Amino acid sequence: MDRDKKGYTLRAKAGFVVYALCCLIIFIYIQFPYDMLKDRLERTLSSALSSHVTLGHMHSHLPLGLAADGLKINTSEVAKKIVFHPRLARLFTAELGLDISAELLSG
């Protein structure tokens, strides 16, 4: 009878909170509208390459990446998939850095 009145322990309540926060972070990461970042990345790549760059559909790439389905430079398709990974060490120096890897059409 005492067990029914007691409820959940502090450890169980903390576990529920941690689980809810983890679920929130994962669902936000998966459902984020990545296509909003597409224009910014296209402008940045266009200025870096001095050519017109077009990216395909943007989506998440786990664990901490952003992927685009296709890369066109001056209307010729160059890559099937391009992945952007943030450089986390540069965030401590207030700079943004990205590592870019691509799956090229030529292999």
Side-chain angles (χ1 to χ4, degrees):
M1 202 164 240
D2 289 333
R3 187 175 178 110
D4 292 335
K5 293 180 184 178
K6 190 175 182 182
Y8 292 107
T9 64
L10 181 62
R11 178 181 263 179
K13 290 178 185 178
F16 292 145
V17 169
V18 169
Y19 176 74
L21 287 175
C22 287
C23 286
L24 178 69
I25 291 169
I26 289 170
F27 293 143
I28 287 173
Y29 183 73
I30 291 172
Q31 295 297 322
F32 186 79
Y34 292 104
D35 284 324
M36 291 176 32
L37 301 173
K38 181 179 173 180
D39 294 331
R40 173 73 184 242
L41 286 171
E42 285 177 345
R43 284 193 311 258
T44 304
L45 288 173
S46 293
S47 65
L49 298 174
S50 300
S51 300
H52 180 68
V53 174
T54 305
L55 295 172
H57 173 69
M58 304 291 285
H59 54 90
S60 65
H61 188 270
L62 296 174
L64 288 176
L66 179 65
D69 295 332
L71 169 69
K72 292 182 182 179
I73 299 176
N74 293 335
T75 67
S76 63
E77 190 162 352
V78 176
K80 291 186 242 180
K81 184 176 182 181
I82 185 167
V83 180
F84 303 94
H85 294 283
R87 291 184 183 172
L88 297 177
R90 285 199 153 186
L91 291 177
F92 296 116
T93 61
E95 296 177 5
L96 177 62
L98 289 174
D99 289 329
I100 300 173
S101 60
E103 184 180 323
L104 301 176
L105 290 175
S106 60

